[in-house]
Amino acid sequence: MAEDPEGLFLDWELESSISSELKREKQLSAPQRRYYNLCRRKSFAAFVASKRDSSRQEGTFWCCCSQTFMDHSAIHKHVARMHHSEIQQLMTATYERLLKRIEEDSEGQQLMELKVQSVDISAWIPETGHIPEQQLHLGPGKVLLYYHYCHVEDPNVICSWQKALCEKLHLTGKVRVATEGINGTVGGTDVATQLYIEAMCSHPVFRLDKEDFKTSDGGAKCFTDLRVGVYKEIVPMGVDPAVLSYQLAGAHLEPEEFHKEVEALVAKGSVTPSESDTVLLDCRNFYESKIGQFTQCLAPNIRKFSYFPDYVDQNLDLFRDKKVLMYCTGGIRCERASAYLISKEVCKDVYQLKGGIHKYLERFPDGFYRGKLFVFDERFSISSNDDVISGCRYCHCPWDQYEVCSTRFCCQLVLSCPSCRQEGHTGCCPTCQSKGRGSEHTLSRREECECTSGRPRIPQDV
């Protein structure tokens, strides 16, 4: 007879427990099995973590059942063999709590959907029965750019209305809705975009003015689809609107006023921002200012607007006791950016260009803004003057027409002239260019290129 029958009994109990657990798991649906396995892993990890000996200053040790374990595999094997029933109890409790939370979230979502359905949005959608259907999806078109900060009581209702409105008018584009307002850029026919403007101007929450819309030639083809959603911010800066409100933004300057300010700055001659008492600040990303910018501006080498707060924090001396003139594409980024800069209490004055570059170019097409205006759609840019301020990535000849990097999984933009593209130079950098020559299985799904790794995330311009 074996000397240690308890081990056999332990194995038998463990096998029985695992068998019943497997039977239960097989009865679950696919989503439930995923939750079940997640809870099992978390419960096991939590139990192991509870056995860690924190009294030791050097190394990692676990103490369990009067034994000390010095590596993960040993403690994992011990827990799996000796504490299966405890893990099972912990997992069951965790799983039940998770299911309850999912059920509560589902009920909340259903209530939200019922609330949205109970609101009659049809009154906010224009009647189009008298308009030939072709006029809504064929013919000359426009791209609209707009934003409006205001309190939105129920963003989900507005989101539902925007989806229905855009679909009825055959519009494509992107619309962000939040409790702080709405931000959108949509494309469609001349008739459809005009109806959209009228609907936005008559809506009781927004009551926009036609002057709030920036228009350019384009249409529905400028976007691949329609995306409407509810977000925390209508422009993603990464700072909670409850902490930094748009109501703290800098004073608006009409294009004529802004033009005079820039004119005065340029008249002083070419000086660095640190030498001047005025800073002309471009609030856009580096790839936008690369192909077009105001004369004598400070253009931060940042990749995302969410990096702007960190840029300000690391370059406060640039703005200390200065008058700051800010600008962006349509004005929305300046609302939050100016509020953030003002909150630092280092500037003498902070102003922003009302309506952004779009409105400035309508008034001064050949003014102090030179080059192209970058836009976030399939066109990539629009122009009002013939200046080319950027060059080809490879031969450095004047060139300012972006294309997406040809390497799979890379979303960077590249300036490559027709001659260089014909020679196969279609990658955004040497790393992507070499990847593009490799076989498909060698390509990484992770975006890694010199465009991102070689640039400081937050540049210091002080």
Side-chain angles (χ1 to χ4, degrees), residues 38-89:
L38 173 65
C39 292
R40 179 162 50 197
R41 291 194 299 271
K42 285 186 173 293
S43 299
F44 189 91
F47 189 90
V48 171
S50 70
K51 300 301 178 181
R52 184 171 178 175
D53 186 357
S54 57
S55 63
R56 300 176 185 253
Q57 296 182 351
E58 295 184 1
T60 304
F61 300 89
W62 295 266
C63 295
C64 187
C65 300
S66 302
Q67 299 180 60
T68 299
F69 302 89
M70 301 177 62
D71 60 79
H72 279 95
S73 60
I75 183 64
H76 282 192
K77 288 178 181 178
H78 171 79
V79 170
R81 180 176 174 82
M82 303 299 295
H83 299 282
H84 179 78
S85 60
E86 295 161 82
I87 298 294
Q88 184 68 23
Q89 291 175 1

Side-chain angles (χ1 to χ4, degrees), residues 103-305:
E103 185 178 350
E104 290 173 350
D105 290 345
S106 177
E107 290 176 355
Q109 182 63 31
Q110 289 175 1
L111 287 173
M112 183 64 70
E113 291 174 357
L114 287 173
K115 185 178 179 181
V116 170
Q117 292 171 7
S118 66
V119 177
D120 183 14
I121 61 174
S122 61
W124 304 334
I125 298 177
E127 177 57 49
T128 59
H130 62 290
I131 300 173
E133 186 69 14
Q134 286 188 333
Q135 292 187 18
L136 294 178
H137 58 82
L138 293 176
K142 291 283 190 294
V143 170
L144 305 178
L145 178 67
Y146 73 94
Y147 72 91
H148 186 64
Y149 278 103
C150 65
H151 177 66
V152 177
E153 184 69 29
D154 196 334
N156 289 284
V157 171
I158 299 300
C159 181
S160 178
W161 164 59
Q162 280 290 310
K163 286 180 181 177
L165 175 63
C166 291
E167 287 171 358
K168 184 166 186 177
L169 299 178
H170 301 281
L171 300 179
T172 58
K174 294 168 282 189
V175 180
R176 295 175 66 99
V177 185
T179 55
E180 65 171 356
I182 188 169
N183 173 26
T185 176
V186 295
T189 65
D190 289 346
V191 173
T193 51
Q194 182 58 38
L195 288 171
Y196 183 84
I197 291 175
E198 292 173 1
M200 291 297 298
C201 291
S202 62
H203 194 279
V205 172
F206 305 111
R207 297 194 181 281
L208 293 172
D209 189 272
K210 289 185 178 181
E211 285 299 310
D212 293 322
F213 291 86
K214 300 92 184 175
T215 63
S216 56
D217 292 335
K221 65 180 183 296
C222 294
F223 302 92
T224 56
D225 54 15
L226 173 67
R227 299 180 185 180
V228 183
V230 175
Y231 300 85
K232 195 166 190 176
E233 304 171 89
I234 58 174
V235 60
M237 190 171 78
V239 180
D240 193 330
V243 176
L244 185 72
S245 171
Y246 65 90
Q247 295 175 333
L248 303 175
H252 293 87
L253 294 180
E254 295 289 342
E256 292 79 6
E257 297 173 298
F258 196 85
H259 182 80
K260 289 180 180 179
E261 290 285 350
V262 178
E263 188 175 40
L265 176 63
V266 173
K268 295 178 182 178
S270 180
V271 293
T272 63
S274 59
E275 296 171 329
S276 174
D277 60 356
T278 301
V279 177
L280 179 56
L281 180 61
D282 193 323
C283 294
R284 301 173 301 160
N285 304 318
F286 79 92
Y287 52 85
E288 299 175 76
S289 58
K290 189 173 186 176
I291 62 172
Q293 58 182 240
F294 274 95
T295 305
Q296 289 189 206
C297 75
L298 169 63
N301 191 25
I302 57 175
R303 187 182 172 200
K304 300 178 181 179
F305 183 54

